[in-house]
Amino acid sequence: MSSPRDSRFQTVVSLRDGTTIRIRAIRPDDKHRLLGHFSRLSAQSVYRRFLGNKTALTPEDLAHFTELDFVDAVGLVATTLGQGDQERIVGVGRYFADTSAPGVARRAEMAFAVEDAHQGRGIATRLLEQLLLFARDGEIAVLEADILADNVHMLHVFQRMGFTTSRSSCGVIRVSLPLGPTYERKSA
């Protein structure tokens, strides 16, 4: 399947406060930038992203998160507008499709992490908007994520974008969005 949205994807978007950021496909050469991003996340943000404590990204994690096929695994980064070493990752959004059941409607699990200093500016919303387009192009039938119940800002992002919620386990809420032929954002 060919798609205009692939590992070369990039766009510039405006945030709520009027500043602009680049959203682009994550690349294997982003490993050091991803380590920098992880180091700037608070313990609470790391806990919310991984649903548990994590003190470091291993070389295996870095390969898993940056070496993607953009078919079953899609990762986008929100960055400052700098080039090369001046470019800094401030947010990450990704999904991994469940490939264990061939022939079944494709489902994908999503995750997001936005640097604490940049939370509340609309970065996760902008990443999610782009991931929805990739999911549609990739024939993903349902996008899902597990969110800690106390992560009200991320729950609000998902609800505003049309995701439904259900409790999955103690303190965790499952959000999901079936993707039909056309995705339309719910009015806020």
Side-chain angles (χ1 to χ4, degrees):
M1 150 191 6
S2 103
S3 167
R5 299 187 176 282
D6 61 19
S7 61
R8 297 167 302 205
F9 171 79
Q10 70 173 345
T11 188
V12 174
V13 298
S14 293
L15 299 177
R16 280 187 212 119
D17 61 8
T19 60
T20 55
I21 59 167
R22 178 182 299 116
I23 294 181
R24 66 166 174 77
I26 199 164
R27 306 180 304 246
D29 72 338
D30 281 322
K31 288 177 178 67
H32 72 283
R33 287 183 200 89
L34 191 58
L35 281 171
H37 170 69
F38 184 84
S39 74
R40 291 185 298 274
L41 295 174
S42 67
Q44 181 182 40
S45 289
V46 170
Y47 190 85
R48 285 178 171 168
R49 161 55 184 92
F50 293 98
L51 302 182
N53 294 319
K54 187 168 187 67
T55 58
L57 294 178
T58 67
E60 293 79 17
D61 290 334
L62 291 170
H64 179 70
F65 292 146
T66 63
E67 298 171 17
L68 307 179
D69 63 9
F70 286 84
V71 175
D72 295 322
V74 172
L76 301 177
V77 291
T79 72
T80 59
L81 293 178
Q83 297 294 323
D85 289 340
Q86 301 303 311
E87 182 184 42
R88 185 169 129 182
I89 294 174
V90 295
V92 179
R94 62 177 39 94
Y95 70 74
F96 291 98
D98 179 1
T99 58
S100 64
V104 175
R106 289 169 42 93
R107 300 176 87 77
E109 187 77 23
M110 298 187 327
F112 295 85
V114 174
E115 194 175 306
D116 292 62
H118 295 277
Q119 291 176 6
R121 297 176 61 210
I123 293 171
T125 299
R126 294 291 181 250
L127 285 164
L128 178 55
E129 288 168 347
Q130 297 304 318
L131 281 174
L132 285 167
L133 297 172
F134 272 90
R136 192 164 247 106
D137 286 349
E139 299 177 2
I140 300 295
V142 179
L143 283 171
E144 302 171 310
D146 287 330
I147 309 293
L148 292 172
D150 72 345
N151 193 350
V152 293
H153 296 294
M154 202 64 212
L155 285 169
H156 180 70
V157 168
F158 282 120
Q159 289 171 334
R160 199 175 63 244
M161 297 296 284
F163 283 71
T164 59
T165 60
S166 62
R167 287 233 179 251
S168 67
S169 66
C170 185
V172 177
I173 295 175
R174 167 64 58 145
V175 297
S176 63
L177 179 68
L179 298 176
T182 57
Y183 166 77
E184 291 183 27
R185 182 177 173 178
K186 273 186 163 178
S187 46

